[in-house]
């Protein structure tokens, strides 16, 4: 496993069913967790410089997770930070629909893509920045160098499973917040841990909080 040293402090925040699924197979863009989980997610997002999510998550959900609570936005401004974290979508293909509501949200948008993916957006102002990291696959050290250049020292990874797996594979997740939701969603549902990606890690439990029928787990990761 390769470790990338020059990268932001990275926390993954996801909600999973008890059988390790991220969404219902028939409602793949809908959240499976409670309103409390939304508030928890917003709290985490409020603390970081940037948010990173996969293209499929955006295709299904249509929007980025932006801060909505006035007190969280005001607190960032009080700290001299931007009101919203930078929103980075990872797409090797660059194949995203410019009609998605994401492109009308009042946020700064970055496309993390390849040379090939960037060619779709040549001359477009839909993204504030387009980071070309790799020819056909994402070159993570280059992606992290782009993040450093943009002043991103803290990063929240919001899924989905494919993106999380590729970052676990390069030992690039430092902490994990996992909400266990009281659901079983079956094999057709999108998975937290997709097949075919090898990774390993050890986790130290930092906190556990039951809320209603959900359990909030906070872990630190270490890699061999
Ligand atoms: N419960 C939760 O907390 C939660 C959170 C997030 C998402 N979700 C759900 O999870 C599902 C989506 O998850 P998913 O695992 O199918 O997809 P995903 O990780 O959101 O997106 C996969 C896509 O992102 C791009 N991508 C990801 N990693 C990449 C890498 N290392 N290099 C290059 N491109 C990369 C590729 O885009 P291109 O194909 O464009 O190249 C890839 O096809 C949706 O149903 C969503 O609603 C749930």
């Amino acid at each position: 496993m390769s470790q990338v040293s020059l990268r932001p402090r990275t926390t993954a925040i996801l909600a999973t069913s008890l059988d390790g699924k991220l969404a219902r197979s028939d409602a793949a863009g809908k959240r499976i967790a409670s309103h409390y989980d939304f508030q928890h997610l917003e709290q985490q997002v409020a603390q970081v410089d940037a948010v990173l999510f996969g293209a499929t998550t955006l295709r299904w959900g249509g929007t980025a997770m932006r801060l909505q609570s006035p007190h969280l936005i005001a607190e960032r401004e009080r700290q001299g930070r931007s009101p919203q974290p930078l929103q980075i979508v990872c797409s090797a293909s660059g194949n995203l629909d410019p009609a998605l509501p994401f492109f009308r949200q009042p946020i700064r948008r970055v496309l993390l893509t390849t040379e090939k993916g960037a060619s779709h957006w040549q001359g477009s102002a839909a993204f504030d920045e387009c980071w070309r990291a790799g020819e056909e696959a994402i070159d993570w050290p280059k992606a992290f160098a782009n993040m450093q250049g943009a002043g991103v020292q803290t990063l929240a990874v919001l899924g989905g499973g494919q993106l999380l797996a590729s970052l676990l594979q390069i030992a690039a997740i430092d902490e994990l917040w996992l909400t266990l939701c009281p659901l079983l969603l079956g094999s057709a549902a999108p998975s937290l841990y997709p097949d075919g990606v090898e990774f390993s890690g050890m986790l130290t439990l930092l906190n556990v909080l039951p809320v209603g029928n959900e359990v909030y787990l906070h872990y630190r990761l270490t890699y061999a």
Side-chain angles (χ1 to χ4, degrees):
M1 183 183 302
S2 63
Q3 301 224 6
V4 184
S5 52
L6 179 76
R7 61 172 181 79
R9 177 96 198 145
T10 302
T11 303
I13 308 139
L14 292 107
T16 176
S17 67
L18 292 180
D19 56 343
K21 304 297 176 180
L22 289 170
R24 295 175 196 277
S25 56
D26 59 351
K30 287 226 172 99
R31 293 172 44 76
I32 56 169
S34 65
H35 181 64
Y36 182 91
D37 180 74
F38 180 83
Q39 291 175 327
H40 157 74
L41 182 58
E42 201 186 14
Q43 287 275 358
Q44 299 305 316
V45 165
Q47 292 173 31
V48 294
D49 298 323
V51 167
L52 177 66
F53 48 97
T56 306
T57 294
L58 179 59
R59 289 184 192 113
W60 279 109
T63 55
M65 169 69 202
R66 79 180 172 90
L67 299 175
Q68 292 174 26
S69 298
H71 73 279
L72 293 175
I73 295 170
E75 177 58 19
R76 283 179 69 97
E77 287 176 328
R78 197 189 60 73
Q79 294 167 355
R81 307 172 78 183
S82 61
Q84 295 285 335
L86 193 62
Q87 297 281 349
I88 308 168
V89 57
C90 175
S91 170
S93 72
N95 186 10
L96 295 165
D97 180 356
L100 287 174
F102 168 69
F103 291 101
R104 298 190 297 277
Q105 288 182 286
I107 51 176
R108 277 186 69 76
R109 277 169 286 271
V110 173
L111 176 63
L112 169 58
T113 189
T114 58
E115 290 295 341
K116 200 173 166 187
S119 63
H120 292 289
W121 299 90
Q122 207 110 39
S124 163
F127 285 97
D128 295 286
E129 288 182 46
C130 182
W131 293 345
R132 298 154 188 261
E135 286 296 322
E136 295 200 355
I138 299 289
D139 176 331
W140 285 105
K142 270 193 190 159
F144 294 137
N146 277 114
M147 289 182 199
Q148 204 192 40
V152 176
Q153 292 176 8
T154 50
L155 180 70
V157 173
L158 305 192
Q162 283 187 38
L163 177 65
L164 177 70
S166 57
L167 291 170
L168 286 171
Q169 199 168 35
I170 57 165
I173 301 288
D174 301 299
E175 287 186 26
L176 173 65
W177 272 105
L178 199 59
T179 303
L180 295 184
C181 302
L183 295 166
L184 297 171
L185 295 175
S187 59
S191 181
L192 174 61
Y193 303 115
D195 290 340
V197 192
E198 289 300 320
F199 53 78
S200 64
M202 286 183 303
L203 293 88
T204 304
L205 186 63
L206 300 177
N207 197 7
V208 55
L209 178 68
V211 179
N213 289 316
E214 293 176 341
V215 182
Y216 290 75
L217 299 168
H218 185 195
Y219 286 102
R220 184 185 314 116
L221 278 89
T222 47
Y223 302 90

